[in-house]
Amino acid sequence: MEPYFFLSYARRRGPRVLVKRFYDDLCAELRQELRRLHKGNAMPFDRPFLDVQSIQVGQDWNAALGEALGHCRTMLALYTPDYFRSDFCGREWKAFEDRQRSHREVTGVDAKALIPVLWEPVQNIPSGASHIQYDNLDLGENYAQWGLRRILVSDPGGEEYRRIVNLIAHQILVAAEHFRIRPANGLDISGPESAGPFPSATERAEPGSRALLFVAARTSANAHRKSTDPGCHGESPTDWNPYHAESPEPLVERASLLLEERGFTVRTEIVSDMLGASLDEARGQGQVAVLLVEASAAADEPFGRALRAYDRSNHPGSAAIIPCEQEEAGDGPRGKAYWEAVRGALPFNWAKGTGDPLPLLQSGIGSDRFDGALHAVVAKAQNHLVSFLETLKVNSMEMPRITSASLPVLSTVATPRSRTGLAPPIAARASSTPMPFEKEQEDDP
């Protein structure tokens, strides 16, 4: 089997319906182009590869990806900011580009079989991918400014969308029929040597890195219906989704996948009276921690007690993000209530962040800024934690009288050690087990 194309994309936010729609439309257009090319005669059509459709239940995911990448005729890369942060996508890119490079070395011909599609606007293309031309004047100004996804959403059956799909299908057909790059058998994209040109090494976590996510949010049972859209909440605080209008994915799940993409093993807990003790334990194990706090739930107990104690304490290696919905970011009543809640929940951290270009308390964060904010505060919290632990090590060497290896408890409030009431970890992976190279659950709002 030689699929006409391999669809390489980052699935992190929302349902897959838009990517699937584009895939189906492109397959249909390819069939028509083939009929025109062969003057109406039926031709064999190796169905293009889309992971969630082409890999069967029970099939080895890594083997299936390697087989498809080794034999597909072209690869379509859906450019998004998340695409170039994805380790999986970087590996797919490298596997196919290695095939294309080998073909060029043997034949002297550049097949141009790695075809970029601007799905969402991307500000900075990594150096490892910048040599591939992705600007295409034939696809129009709307495509260059907004990307194909927005054109599809605004007018799914419109003339502009159909014209672009036709042009992409023609580009695939030229590369697939006229060049037929050499196949590669037995591709394995899971090993360290298969890491792609993106994300950069500085964006990847060190092997064995772990992160802890804490969530403080209401449930559908205790949310104030008059001021909060019930679509934000579920049966557990971990179901909270402040961006539900754009994506059905709970915020904790989105954050977990983002960090797992960078190489972290992630564990999730619900904020409780034992927050300080959990943070102390995480710090002692070298784990970075991020609190995800719903502003309107910050005063609810036990969240309020735990957050006030956190605010009065020194917890190196931790950060907090208080997301907001679109209406909360404005100057209206909901915006006023949001900012009052933020300042009331973590007043010391709020004051400490004044004038800091990257405060460890991130507030007013909408869906479009969440991914970048999470990556930034995690990197900063990691640096703080490393500096703190190095200082402790130096101090312990200078004070040989100290025999205890345990780290000092920094919390100002004594907290119980019982873990009663914690939510079970979400999608946690043991740090000793390599992360499986299956695709993350993501896509479009």
Side-chain angles (χ1 to χ4, degrees):
M1 294 288 290
E2 294 184 349
Y4 261 76
F5 65 83
F6 179 105
L7 189 58
S8 177
Y9 68 107
R11 290 188 285 118
R12 184 168 295 114
R13 294 195 298 268
R16 307 170 203 141
V17 62
L18 293 179
V19 169
K20 179 64 165 58
R21 168 65 188 268
F22 169 62
Y23 168 83
D24 289 339
D25 292 343
L26 190 56
C27 288
E29 192 66 32
L30 268 173
R31 286 194 180 94
Q32 291 188 17
E33 285 290 316
L34 277 169
R35 291 192 192 100
R36 284 193 285 266
L37 181 65
H38 296 283
K39 300 179 180 180
N41 297 320
M43 296 297 299
F45 182 72
D46 290 343
R47 189 164 182 80
F49 184 90
L50 176 65
D51 50 11
V52 294
Q53 180 162 305
S54 304
I55 300 178
Q56 305 301 314
V57 174
Q59 189 174 2
D60 186 294
W61 190 283
N62 292 331
L65 283 176
E67 176 71 16
L69 282 165
H71 292 85
C72 60
R73 302 188 191 187
T74 64
M75 188 178 92
L76 232 63
L78 291 196
Y79 278 21
T80 65
D82 289 340
Y83 186 83
F84 294 109
R85 298 189 191 109
S86 169
D87 182 62
F88 300 106
C89 295
R91 290 169 183 271
E92 292 168 358
W93 177 287
K94 181 181 185 302
F96 190 83
E97 191 171 42
D98 284 350
R99 282 184 60 202
Q100 189 166 251
R101 185 181 299 109
S102 175
H103 178 84
R104 184 168 56 247
E105 291 172 353
V106 171
T107 65
V109 175
D110 185 1
K112 296 183 175 65
L114 202 166
I115 302 170
V117 174
L118 189 64
W119 189 245
E120 296 175 1
V122 178
Q123 291 186 346
N124 299 304
I125 304 295
S127 58
S130 60
H131 62 287
I132 300 292
Q133 176 67 24
Y134 74 94
D135 289 332
N136 189 337
L137 295 178
D138 292 338
L139 300 183
E141 293 183 5
N142 287 334
Y143 173 86
Q145 183 175 3
W146 304 110
L148 183 58
R149 177 183 167 277
R150 181 158 175 174
I151 295 172
L152 170 57
V153 169
S154 62
D155 192 3
E159 180 180 347
E160 183 176 22
Y161 171 70
R162 289 186 284 108
R163 181 180 64 82
I164 293 173
V165 171
N166 174 264
L167 289 172
I168 294 172
H170 181 72
Q171 191 176 359
I172 291 171
L173 197 63
V174 169
E177 291 292 317
H178 294 284
F179 296 109
R180 303 290 287 270
I181 65 173
R182 297 154 59 100
N185 296 316
L187 282 184
D188 179 6
I189 66 170
S190 63
E193 70 284 354
S194 301
F198 53 84
S200 68
T202 58
E203 293 175 317
R204 292 192 180 98
E206 292 292 327
S209 295
R210 290 176 291 170
L212 189 55
L213 295 176
F214 293 92
V215 59
R218 289 172 173 163
T219 65
S220 55
N222 61 21
H224 296 319
R225 300 195 177 197
K226 290 184 179 179
S227 61
T228 305
D229 188 327
C232 291
H233 303 97
E235 295 181 358
S236 166
T238 57
D239 296 324
W240 171 50
N241 179 11
Y243 310 131
H244 66 101
E246 302 174 46
S247 166
E249 187 178 43
L251 188 66
V252 167
E253 184 178 335
R254 175 173 171 177
S256 296
L257 290 171
L258 281 166
L259 295 178
E260 286 169 358
E261 273 294 304
R262 289 184 56 187
F264 285 94
T265 296
V266 182
R267 184 163 59 90
T268 301
E269 295 185 8
I270 296 172
V271 168
S272 70
D273 286 324
M274 65 162 293
L275 174 63
S278 295
L279 286 168
D280 289 335
E281 181 180 339
R283 175 177 50 82
Q285 296 175 357
Q287 298 181 32
V288 68
V290 178
L291 281 65
L292 303 174
V293 181
E294 180 183 12
S296 59
D300 298 350
E301 303 301 351
F303 301 148
R305 285 193 304 273
L307 292 174
R308 288 190 295 272
Y310 170 80
D311 193 48
R312 295 193 302 268
S313 305
N314 177 26
H315 287 288
S318 70
I321 299 177
I322 307 182
C324 71
E325 301 174 47
Q326 188 172 0
E327 293 182 10
E328 293 175 326
D331 298 326
R334 290 193 63 188
K336 182 179 179 181
Y338 170 83
W339 290 110
E340 287 179 352
V342 171
R343 288 190 290 268
L346 300 166
F348 293 115
N349 277 272
W350 170 271
K352 190 164 56 176
T354 302
D356 188 336
L358 180 58
L360 288 171
L361 170 60
Q362 290 282 308
S363 52
I365 303 298
S367 179
D368 58 334
R369 295 176 53 206
F370 179 80
D371 295 6
L374 179 66
H375 286 308
V377 296
V378 164
K380 185 171 182 177
Q382 274 189 304
N383 290 336
H384 282 193
L385 182 58
V386 169
S387 297
F388 175 77
L389 294 176
E390 287 178 349
T391 300
L392 274 183
K393 183 177 180 181
V394 170
N395 290 344
S396 66
M397 293 175 65
E398 294 176 351
M399 300 174 64
R401 296 189 305 274
I402 298 177
T403 57
S404 173
S406 62
L407 295 173
V409 175
L410 300 184
S411 303
T412 60
V413 177
T415 51
R417 300 300 297 179
S418 169
R419 293 189 175 269
T420 304
L422 287 182
I426 294 178
R429 295 189 176 116
S431 59
S432 60
T433 305
M435 187 165 60
F437 284 85
E438 62 189 18
K439 282 273 190 176
E440 63 276 21
Q441 299 302 314
E442 105 166 61
D443 193 32
D444 311 270

